[in-house]
Amino acid sequence: MIDGMSERTIALVTGANKGIGYEIAAGLGALGWRIGVGARDRQRRDTAVEKLRTAGTDAFGVPLDVTDDASVAAAAELIAGHAGGLDVLVNNAAITGGVPQTPTTVDPATVRAVVETNVIGVIRVTNAMLPMLRDSASPRIVNMSSSVGSLALQTTPGIDMGPVPAAYLASKAFLNALTIQYVKELGDTDILINSGCPGFTATDLNGFQGVRTPQQGAAIAIHLATLPDDGPTGGFFDDAGTVPW
């Protein structure tokens, strides 16, 4: 284990009932951590918890709808009561809003829904969990972003990011900006906060069109969640290193 983190490190992964979120939970659980499986669908959440437990992970279910204030507040209370605290938060829950989704045709309601989950949901969950994270010896926050939210890559000649849904792309750029602001505000704490890109991963989020497995996509989150105390903060990373903002 890394310095400052015991074998009883406690992590919450949002959207952990399937795909990349599940593999993040599995990867962190394999380290001997206790994992809160955050998900709003009860059946999928229970199934994921049972599967993780069968594999040897100390997992527990956390009913969590990141778009609902009461749900998030109840999740924080559950974690405090059930696990006694929180060391690592992985904000993984996200939606695309569906396709096609061009700027000239996208329904404003779709944009609102995507931002509500992908950005405001991160704010809601992070702020609710922050008191516990402040009490941790080695707290970490990982915001699962995407390179499609990189303004630098989107505007670099010769780089084709593909027909990315406009609302989803904007939400990830928004999330990256939010990550930076959290780092600035919490700069006097020990919390390491970073954005991570899983790469083009095959999940139901993109109709399983990606070229990477969910396990491969989870690797960057696991890396950022287990950074040493002198590790980076305020960065945007993928498996190859730093992603330009």
Side-chain angles (χ1 to χ4, degrees):
M1 299 303 296
I2 64 177
D3 292 343
M5 287 189 176
S6 73
E7 61 181 1
R8 299 306 299 167
T9 296
I10 300 165
L12 169 65
V13 182
T14 69
N17 61 294
K18 59 183 178 179
I20 294 173
Y22 176 84
E23 294 299 338
I24 294 171
L28 294 177
L31 299 177
W33 292 15
R34 192 171 194 187
I35 308 298
V37 177
R40 59 186 175 182
D41 186 288
R42 179 178 179 178
Q43 183 174 353
R44 289 178 177 176
R45 184 177 64 247
D46 290 347
T47 298
V49 169
E50 182 60 31
K51 185 178 177 181
L52 288 166
R53 287 177 175 172
T54 299
T57 292
D58 184 1
F60 62 97
V62 180
L64 180 59
D65 179 349
V66 303
T67 68
D68 182 81
D69 289 341
S71 174
V72 172
E77 291 182 6
L78 185 153
I79 294 169
H82 189 77
L86 187 68
D87 302 294
V88 174
L89 169 62
V90 181
N91 287 306
N92 169 76
I95 62 172
T96 63
V99 291
Q101 197 185 94
T102 60
T104 58
T105 61
V106 66
D107 187 336
T110 296
V111 178
R112 292 191 189 96
V114 171
V115 171
E116 182 67 46
T117 296
N118 298 4
V119 181
I120 298 174
V122 170
I123 296 173
R124 187 177 283 116
V125 173
T126 299
N127 292 350
M129 304 302 163
L130 199 53
M132 288 185 287
L133 291 169
R134 286 180 180 274
D135 288 338
S136 170
S138 297
R140 308 284 182 265
I141 298 174
V142 181
N143 293 331
M144 289 302 283
S145 183
S146 171
S147 60
V148 301
S150 167
L151 299 182
L153 292 178
Q154 286 286 355
T155 56
T156 298
I159 294 181
D160 181 10
M161 304 296 285
V164 181
Y168 179 77
L169 182 157
S171 76
K172 292 306 183 180
F174 194 166
L175 178 60
N176 287 343
L178 182 66
T179 298
I180 294 172
Q181 293 305 308
Y182 268 111
V183 171
K184 288 183 176 182
E185 181 180 353
L186 300 175
D188 61 346
T189 73
D190 295 327
I191 306 175
L192 301 184
I193 309 169
N194 294 286
S195 285
C197 172
F200 190 29
T201 303
T203 68
D204 60 358
L205 198 71
N206 57 27
F208 298 96
Q209 297 178 14
V211 297
R212 289 164 61 84
T213 67
Q215 188 173 26
Q216 290 173 320
I220 186 59
I222 295 169
H223 170 69
L224 295 175
T226 57
L227 287 173
D229 289 342
D230 61 352
T233 189
F236 185 14
F237 304 96
D238 62 11
D239 288 350
T242 301
V243 179
W245 295 110

